[in-house]
Amino acid sequence: MKHFSLPFMMGAAMGLMMLRMLHSAVLNEGGPAGLALVVFIGAHVLLGLVALAATIFAARISQKARKFLARLHRPSAAHMATMLAGVATSGLVAHGFIHGGLV
């Protein structure tokens, strides 16, 4: 159950956080929410690029780095699907609670 509940709850929390930042940016509230959205997306892009560079480095050059990367957490497709299910569920529930429906 832990293999389902933890990624689901993390996805639900990140979904609500992203909705708040996106909602503020769309409504042009500006300020820290717009900056938070840029930082949130930028951090994910940066982490993806770092992971890609580290993988290429480990595969081609460093035996020590290859062993280190083998021990790191690498989410599977099922893990990502569970997180996205959490995002969708929390988004639908929050939207329905706040606005009284899906639309």
Side-chain angles (χ1 to χ4, degrees), residues 3-82:
H3 294 291
F4 176 79
S5 62
L6 187 60
F8 186 85
M9 295 305 289
M10 291 300 291
M14 288 191 298
L16 292 175
M17 180 175 56
M18 187 65 182
L19 279 175
R20 176 63 187 131
M21 289 186 290
L22 186 61
H23 199 266
S24 296
V26 168
L27 292 178
N28 206 14
E29 292 176 7
L35 178 61
L37 182 63
V38 170
V39 170
F40 182 81
I41 293 170
H44 281 82
V45 169
L46 180 65
L47 285 173
L49 292 174
V50 167
L52 180 65
T55 302
I56 292 170
F57 173 75
R60 297 193 180 257
I61 299 171
S62 173
Q63 184 72 356
K64 187 176 180 180
R66 187 179 309 163
K67 289 178 184 178
F68 173 74
L69 285 173
R71 292 189 310 262
L72 289 179
H73 169 69
R74 291 183 310 253
S76 64
H79 180 90
M80 294 300 293
T82 304

Side-chain angles (χ1 to χ4, degrees), residues 8 11-20 83-99 101-103:
F8 186 85
M14 288 191 298
L16 292 175
M17 180 175 56
M18 187 65 182
L19 279 175
R20 176 63 187 131
M83 287 187 75
L84 290 174
V87 168
T89 302
S90 67
L92 287 170
V93 169
H95 196 273
F97 180 75
I98 293 169
H99 297 292
L102 295 177
V103 180

